[in-house]
Amino acid sequence: MALRDYFDNLPDPVLLLILNRLADIKALGRCCAVSRRFRELVLQVDNAVVKVDCVISREESSKNLKGKGLFRHLMRFVVGRIVKPLQALHQFLGPKKSIAAEVSHHSPCKVIKNFKELQRLRIELPGGELGMQGGGLLKWKAEFGSTLDSCVILAAASVLNDESKPYRAERLQHTSEDCNVTDRLDESEALCSHEESDSSAESFYTDGGLKLRVIWTISSLIAASARHHLLQQIISDHPTLESLILTDADGQGMLCMNKEQLHESREKPLAASSSANRTEVPDVKMKLWYAPYLELPGGIGLKGATLVAIKRSDHLPHKMSDEFVAAAFEEPFKTAVSLLVRRRTYLLEMNSF
């Protein structure tokens, strides 16, 4: 007796709902091999997740891929278009991982080019671009339209757990880039009842602490603007997109674009930096909070904890909401944000670069 395929009894809208819940682009590629009906429905999904988990060399990518169509590319896609723009950033910061190794020009854009109904797309890189010297922490979340709208950065010189072991991270080397930071620092009234001592505030200025935090900020903005630059083809090819996220498996950085920001990116010309490998960072205003040490839930401690909230200088004061800053990171780092914003605030400005 022939086996009955119960999927044949499901209407297309139900199958499409299941495929949208599946989301993973590789799993969707496998579904295309099931039947013609599945293939046609897969290309109608409006939600997809692309996990970039491999880098293929130019030599391997030179093999003939013809004859297998889109989904042969899907199973063998590489991160050429994602990695290449980060090579300049890699040179600026020094080595962390071999993400920026020799890669082919084959683009992940080809993987999703036939998905014409995409509304929500999430791309995950195999790791963050930045490392930190001495077991430090660096996390960021940025929103972009045609250029940077806002960004939140959380960093610490070192992270300790109950066993006083440094947080997992690798070396970050610093070099200079053409950008100007205003010398002006305005201090606002302290918001917490336990302000840092005069000696700790003084050391923030005199021991290189401020300079180091400016470098952390510049590094994060370069990483974010490089990611934004590489998304332009995807944004152009998929006018139905309403949400686009580019993150990494380490949870280091997240770039977000909503429907209005995606529309702005399509309508306004892209402002490229002089390196042409990233979007130009506009003039920005920043708020910086600092604590010599923070104790977080779970026995985690942050030494030299720093929070930076950044917005474009031409934005209205209310443009970046407190909710965006408060919700930028998951626990335990969400608690770190809530503790830091109660402390003394330092105001800075940075010119475009």
Side-chain angles (χ1 to χ4, degrees):
M1 188 173 92
L3 293 177
R4 185 176 180 182
D5 188 350
Y6 289 96
F7 271 102
D8 289 339
N9 296 331
L10 294 178
D12 286 353
V14 175
L15 271 179
L16 189 57
L17 178 63
I18 295 173
L19 293 172
N20 274 316
R21 293 291 183 90
L22 186 61
D24 179 72
I25 201 74
K26 291 185 179 180
L28 291 173
R30 297 186 185 101
C31 289
C32 286
V34 173
S35 66
R36 179 178 296 179
R37 181 191 181 203
F38 267 53
R39 177 184 171 85
E40 291 175 351
L41 288 174
V42 163
L43 296 179
Q44 298 177 35
V45 299
D46 59 25
N47 180 42
V49 177
V50 180
K51 293 184 178 180
V52 179
D53 55 7
C54 64
V55 177
I56 299 177
S57 68
R58 296 182 191 278
E59 180 181 355
E60 182 177 351
S61 66
S62 65
K63 297 177 181 178
N64 185 9
L65 296 179
K66 295 181 179 179
K68 295 295 184 178
L70 168 68
F71 294 99
R72 172 68 178 269
H73 292 306
L74 179 63
M75 302 307 297
R76 299 191 56 190
F77 79 91
V78 297
V79 294
R81 189 166 181 84
I82 288 183
V83 175
K84 191 174 180 181
L86 300 179
Q87 290 175 342
L89 177 64
H90 178 79
Q91 294 169 1
F92 174 78
L93 297 171
K96 177 182 185 282
K97 298 180 180 179
S98 58
I99 298 177
E102 283 285 309
V103 295
S104 79
H105 294 286
H106 187 58
S107 170
C109 296
K110 295 181 180 179
V111 176
I112 59 171
K113 71 176 182 179
N114 285 357
F115 291 81
K116 301 301 183 181
E117 306 296 329
L118 284 180
Q119 297 180 16
R120 297 174 299 279
L121 176 62
R122 180 185 179 95
I123 302 174
E124 184 177 294
L125 298 174
E129 302 91 334
L130 310 175
M132 286 287 282
Q133 184 177 8
L137 169 75
L138 185 59
K139 298 175 72 69
W140 58 267
K141 182 178 181 180
E143 289 188 332
F144 276 78
S146 59
T147 186
L148 177 73
D149 281 343
S150 56
C151 183
V152 181
I153 301 167
L154 179 65
S158 61
V159 182
L160 305 176
N161 57 24
D162 287 332
E163 292 77 24
S164 298
K165 295 179 180 179
Y167 185 79
R168 179 179 61 84
E170 298 182 33
R171 182 176 180 80
L172 171 65
Q173 298 176 346
H174 309 300
T175 59
S176 61
E177 169 151 323
D178 290 332
C179 61
N180 297 314
V181 179
T182 355
D183 293 333
R184 180 178 63 84
L185 276 176
D186 297 323
E187 297 179 13
S188 71
E189 180 182 0
L191 299 178
C192 65
S193 58
H194 302 289
E195 293 188 24
E196 57 265 45
S197 66
D198 292 338
S199 60
S200 64
E202 178 68 19
S203 67
F204 180 69
Y205 294 105
T206 59
D207 65 357
L210 176 59
K211 180 180 178 181
L212 177 61
R213 281 150 184 83
V214 169
I215 293 176
W216 290 346
T217 301
I218 293 172
S219 302
S220 299
L221 290 175
I222 291 173
S225 61
R227 292 191 187 187
H228 180 249
H229 180 81
L230 63 89
L231 290 174
Q232 297 310 303
Q233 189 62 50
I234 291 176
I235 295 172
S236 176
D237 291 346
H238 296 275
T240 57
L241 276 177
E242 298 180 0
S243 173
L244 178 58
I245 295 175
L246 178 53
T247 185
D248 59 80
D250 292 340
Q252 182 182 89
M254 177 181 290
L255 183 151
C256 306
M257 300 181 72
N258 60 29
K259 183 177 181 179
E260 291 75 19
Q261 291 163 335
L262 287 163
H263 177 74
E264 177 187 314
S265 183
R266 295 186 191 100
E267 294 298 318
K268 294 185 178 181
L270 180 67
S273 72
S274 57
S275 66
N277 288 316
R278 59 179 180 83
T279 307
E280 181 180 279
V281 177
D283 295 345
V284 295
K285 294 182 178 180
M286 301 183 287
K287 290 183 178 180
L288 185 150
W289 297 269
Y290 166 77
Y293 183 81
L294 283 182
E295 185 72 28
L296 303 181
I300 297 176
L302 301 182
K303 295 181 66 175
T306 305
L307 177 68
V308 185
I310 304 169
K311 65 174 182 176
R312 277 167 43 186
S313 295
D314 58 356
H315 275 183
L316 297 174
H318 66 274
K319 185 67 175 182
M320 183 172 62
S321 66
D322 294 337
E323 289 76 12
F324 177 73
V325 177
F329 309 110
E330 300 293 334
E331 293 291 3
F333 304 113
K334 185 175 182 178
T335 297
V337 171
S338 65
L339 293 174
L340 282 165
V341 295
R342 300 172 189 170
R343 304 184 72 88
R344 176 177 300 174
T345 304
Y346 301 88
L347 303 180
L348 303 91
E349 293 181 359
M350 182 180 293
N351 295 337
S352 62
F353 63 96

